[in-house]
Amino acid sequence: MTQNEAESLTPLDPAFFPYNRRNPNTWQVLYLDQAIPVDPVAKQYMICDLQNWTRNYLLIPIKITANLCLAVIMTVKRLLPFQFHFYGFMHQSATFFLKYFVSPEACYLIVRHISLGSNIVNFLIDNGPNPYLEKSNLYPQKVDDLAHNVFLEHDLILYNFVYDYHRAQQENPHWQAKLKQRGINFKSIRPVSVEMNFKKWRWLRILDLESAIELFKVFYSLCLTSDEFERAVLSLQFDENFGLYFTQITGDSSWNHVISNRHPLAPNSPFQAARNLMLHGITTEYIHRYLEIRRDQAELRED
């Protein structure tokens, strides 16, 4: 075994941590299971995050406190005769919070998620009813890049895409027949690069992903207007819609059952936003990996 191969091993790898048939390790089994394919590096960090001690000991008290604070903020802002927002302050504060208090694994997944979302939207545009719709250029590579209103822009890109996409479908009712003739274009499913220092300030960067999101949703609700916060929460339930968009393009619906954020016409409570965002992140990883596999299969057929 080379040094690089040894460094690439995770404690969940059987070559590093032997499997015990009389006392199976939950996370080792999940890591090796490929029933629903996920990028191996991202999956390693997901499972590492799920084992974080803050998730076991701090998540429940954080969730209770966060929901109490959220209830107060939402009530007060609904009663105020005016609305306010602080986009710049929100993103600068979120970036500082992520850099110094959230685990590197969780930060990696957050930064990666934005780029995956851009790949997915751009793929749908390339293969949709109008390939000239405005595409996403959000490709952050490090936590500092998130300070440039990335979270807000991510939501706006999603809503504007859905609006433009359906307008284009109305204007081009035979677009699927044309797609079948020219074939699926996978050029937007490009590699995602994330720069992350896993050692710097490690003693302070402890929070797991879901605990961090629970805290951040409170700050998000404070820094956005009531309508903007409601819009951000509802966007998480567009996963089902996106799954159907992909089915229209690929003709494959066999994987749609993995999508659990459903029914945007029956909005979930904002108190569930952190959990829904976790599910949204996982679904995005599923979809992107599915498209990578389809791309690789198409390239093999061409060869």
Side-chain angles (χ1 to χ4, degrees):
M1 181 181 297
T2 66
Q3 182 179 356
N4 289 337
E5 289 172 335
E7 290 175 350
S8 69
L9 286 176
T10 166
L12 299 171
D13 194 303
F16 184 88
F17 184 74
Y19 179 68
N20 186 342
R21 303 191 66 83
R22 302 303 302 169
N23 186 23
N25 183 294
T26 302
W27 307 113
Q28 190 178 27
V29 173
L30 285 177
Y31 176 74
L32 292 173
D33 177 71
Q34 293 296 316
I36 303 175
V38 183
D39 177 84
V41 175
K43 189 172 186 179
Q44 177 179 333
Y45 293 148
M46 286 179 187
I47 292 181
C48 182
D49 179 75
L50 291 173
Q51 296 178 87
N52 192 328
W53 68 269
T54 63
R55 181 178 175 83
N56 292 326
Y57 296 102
L58 299 183
L59 178 57
I60 292 178
I62 284 176
K63 186 177 294 189
I64 293 171
T65 304
N67 282 339
L68 288 173
C69 293
L70 182 62
V72 172
I73 292 171
M74 290 178 61
T75 301
V76 171
K77 293 191 77 170
R78 285 294 184 187
L79 294 175
L80 288 175
F82 59 89
Q83 292 289 305
F84 55 86
H85 54 72
F86 306 107
Y87 301 148
F89 177 66
M90 179 183 77
H91 285 84
Q92 293 287 345
S93 300
T95 301
F96 178 82
F97 175 64
L98 290 170
K99 280 183 67 175
Y100 295 106
F101 299 104
V102 180
S103 75
E105 292 81 10
C107 289
Y108 177 95
L109 294 170
I110 291 171
V111 175
R112 173 179 163 83
H113 173 77
I114 302 297
S115 295
L116 295 187
S118 294
N119 279 0
I120 287 171
V121 165
N122 293 342
F123 171 85
L124 290 171
I125 292 174
D126 284 340
N127 297 282
N130 182 355
Y132 302 104
L133 296 179
E134 182 180 1
K135 291 188 175 182
S136 173
N137 293 311
L138 282 184
Y139 286 96
Q141 293 188 311
K142 52 186 182 296
V143 173
D144 285 329
D145 294 339
L146 302 177
H148 307 297
N149 285 2
V150 166
F151 296 124
L152 178 64
E153 290 299 320
H154 181 66
D155 279 348
L156 292 177
I157 287 169
L158 170 66
Y159 276 95
N160 291 334
F161 162 76
V162 173
Y163 178 83
D164 293 340
Y165 193 77
H166 285 278
R167 288 290 300 270
Q169 282 186 322
Q170 294 172 358
E171 295 167 359
N172 301 279
H174 304 296
W175 68 273
Q176 285 178 281
K178 296 177 181 178
L179 171 65
K180 192 172 182 179
Q181 290 177 352
R182 67 175 184 263
I184 298 176
N185 180 351
F186 289 98
K187 70 178 182 180
S188 290
I189 306 303
R190 66 193 215 189
V192 170
S193 174
V194 179
E195 300 173 12
M196 190 64 55
N197 188 330
F198 284 80
K199 296 181 179 180
K200 186 177 181 180
W201 295 92
R202 184 71 208 213
W203 62 275
L204 189 61
R205 299 158 68 191
I206 59 173
L207 279 178
D208 65 278
L209 181 58
E210 191 167 0
S211 295
I213 296 172
E214 285 286 353
L215 291 172
F216 185 62
K217 78 179 181 186
V218 178
F219 193 62
Y220 208 70
S221 69
L222 180 64
C223 293
L224 296 178
T225 67
S226 296
D227 289 342
E228 287 170 336
F229 180 64
E230 182 179 357
R231 183 182 69 203
V233 171
L234 180 59
S235 71
L236 302 174
Q237 289 179 254
F238 274 94
D239 288 352
E240 182 178 36
N241 303 54
F242 272 70
L244 295 174
Y245 300 157
F246 286 110
T247 296
Q248 286 181 317
I249 291 171
T250 64
D252 181 8
S253 61
S254 61
W255 57 275
N256 289 33
H257 66 281
V258 306
I259 300 174
S260 56
N261 280 344
R262 299 177 179 270
H263 312 308
L265 292 179
N268 285 336
S269 164
F271 297 104
Q272 299 175 337
R275 180 64 176 171
N276 288 342
L277 185 53
M278 285 281 291
L279 294 172
H280 170 66
I282 294 170
T283 299
T284 302
E285 289 284 353
Y286 287 163
I287 290 175
H288 196 268
R289 185 58 183 153
Y290 167 80
L291 291 174
E292 287 178 331
I293 292 171
R294 288 292 298 256
R295 177 201 61 196
D296 294 344
Q297 290 173 342
E299 291 175 353
L300 285 174
R301 285 195 296 269
E302 290 177 0
D303 293 340

